[in-house]
Each structure stands twice: as C-alpha cells, then as structure tokens.
Amino acid sequence: MKPTIKDIAAQAGVSIATVSRVLSNKRGTYSEKTKEKILKVAKELGYHKNTTAVDLVKKKADEIAVIINATPTNFSNMILSGIQQRATELGQRVIILYAGDRNTDMQHQAITTVMARSVSGILLLAVEPDATDLELLKETRTPFCFVSLYFGDDQILSISSDNKALAYQATEYLINNGHTKIGLAGIDDYHTGSQRVLGYQTAMRDHGLVAKNDWVKRGDYSYEAGRQLLQAFLPLEVTAIIAASDMVAVGLLNAAQQSQIAVPDKLSIIGIDGTFICEVTTPPITSVTQNFYEIGVRSVDKVMGKATETFVPTRIVVRGSVKLNR
C-alpha cells in the first residue's frame, strides 16, 4: 500500500495539515526544522506526491471547493444549484469532491485533496466531521462552512434550516389536525437527527402529549429505510408519521399502499424536505419544505465573508398525505 500524508504525520509526530502544507510548499506556517523532518520521513516511506494535484494549485484563489456526503436522499442538487449560481456571481468557480456516505477515510481524503489547492473557501455539504476533520479544516487557514448542518457553535460557520424548529413545526401541524400518536421515521443519531428528535419531543411535551421512545425509528434517510420501517410502526397504532426525508416518506407511502393502508384516511404522512418528489406521488406528500437553493446561496456568502443569517426559514406545504381536522 502506498504511503499517505496520514502515515507521514503519524511518524513525524505532526498534524496532517502541517504535512500537507509542507508538501505543497505553503510557507510561513511551519519551521524549517519541521519541514526537514517531514521531508525526511516522506523520503524514508517512499512517498510520492500527486503531481497532477500540484499542477492544479493556482496563484490566485478563484475556486470554492464543495465536499459532499453521498447521503441516499435527493436534496443536494438544489443546494448545489444555489452554490453554483452565487459562486458565478462572485467570480468563483466550483469544484466538487465526494466523501462517500459517512465514510471517515473518504472525508479525510477529500479534505486533504482540497488542502493541496488554493481555494477561496470550503463548503461541506451534509458532512459530519470528526475531530481529525475539524483539525484539518482549522489548520488550512481557509474559510470553511458546513452546509445543511448546524453545530450550535458560533465559532463554526454553518448555513442550515433550523432542524429543531422544523421538526417542531411538523409535529405541531399534525397535532393541530387531531393526531396524538405520532411517529418519527428514518432519523439518524448525528447532529441533524438529534436536533429533529428534540424538536419532535418538545412539541409533543408542549401540547401535553407523551412521545414514546419506540415511536422514534432510526434510519439513514433513504427510501428503503421508510419502506422497511412501516411494519415496525403498525403494532404501535400511530395515526401519523413524520418522515425524516422525502425519500423516507415515499418509502412509507409505498409500503402502506402495498399493505392496503389508506393514506391519509388510516395513516397520515408528512415529509421533511419538500423536494419535487412530493408532487409526483399518489397522494402527493405534505411536507415541511426547506429552501435548499437559498441554503446554497447563503453558504457561498458565508464562506466568502459576507453577512448572512445562519438559519433559512421553512414552511408547511399542504398536499394530500395528511388527514385534515375539519
């Protein structure tokens, strides 16, 4: 196996970011002694730098790098459209790197690849960083912003919908339409999922209702997660389910129809996202709709140092998958 900069960092006792800067000849951020040590270790390990990446390094930063997590959902294209449009307006090009689906090694590789370039900023779309990721990003001395993800830390730039608020919004909408037994499907245990669970639980509590633990079913935001989770909800006799994504909502809807459960007469479903897919199902899916295009636009402004609000508002779009309390 070919040695990597991670191997060099471990043997030299320095950070991956420092190794990357030395190998990219970015001066002024490390001592000559550190440079000599790193180059010596690199030579001993037989490391050869990717010259293609070196050739792509530009004297003037006019690119924004987007690192995207390949989640099995369908919202990212709209965010990318917003990023591309706003970047073009500001005279910036966009390069995109994929980081797999919760793949730590691919995330590290994507970040170190960006570090070998001269970029104006780094946007991380639905990427959940670990401690190493954050160390790398901070040591690049390049502005970075998390997109469609919020950490509750003012020191970390983010642009997102307010995930606690949107889950509260969905839950309250169902409660106002007569539902008291409400499930939450396809959610994960990362920042976004945890915030949505909290919003759901808070809304139930504020309305004097109990949110039972088994009414929350974990998943990965995918169609298959929704399809499989319906059977887990049936013994619980919930009358409505909040889907963690539109793909989960479609999975629930199709599974309900296959089980001859009428939506919305016997089961109401509300999705989170509000992408085009909500309009092409039968019935069309009521949603808490996020403005993904605006999230993309604002993320570029944020990483380029322009003042903009962190949270992008959401709204309920009524279609046909929730039984209304008339």
Side-chain angles (χ1 to χ4, degrees), residues 174 181-185 200 215-217 233 238-243:
L174 292 172
K181 297 180 178 180
I182 301 169
L184 178 59
Y200 158 78
W215 288 357
V216 177
K217 303 296 182 186
F233 279 109
V238 298
T239 62
I241 301 175
I242 301 166

Side-chain angles (χ1 to χ4, degrees), residues 66-78:
V66 180
I67 299 175
I68 180 171
N69 180 57
T71 54
T73 59
N74 64 325
F75 68 87
S76 60
N77 284 344
M78 288 179 285

Side-chain angles (χ1 to χ4, degrees), residues 115-148:
M115 290 167 62
R117 304 178 67 103
S118 179
V119 297
S120 303
I122 304 169
L123 299 177
L124 299 106
L125 176 47
V127 170
E128 287 274 357
D130 61 13
T132 301
D133 288 331
L134 285 175
E135 178 190 1
L136 283 171
L137 289 164
K138 290 175 181 177
E139 292 195 22
T140 62
R141 302 194 178 184
T142 299
F144 63 91
C145 176
F146 288 92
V147 186
S148 196

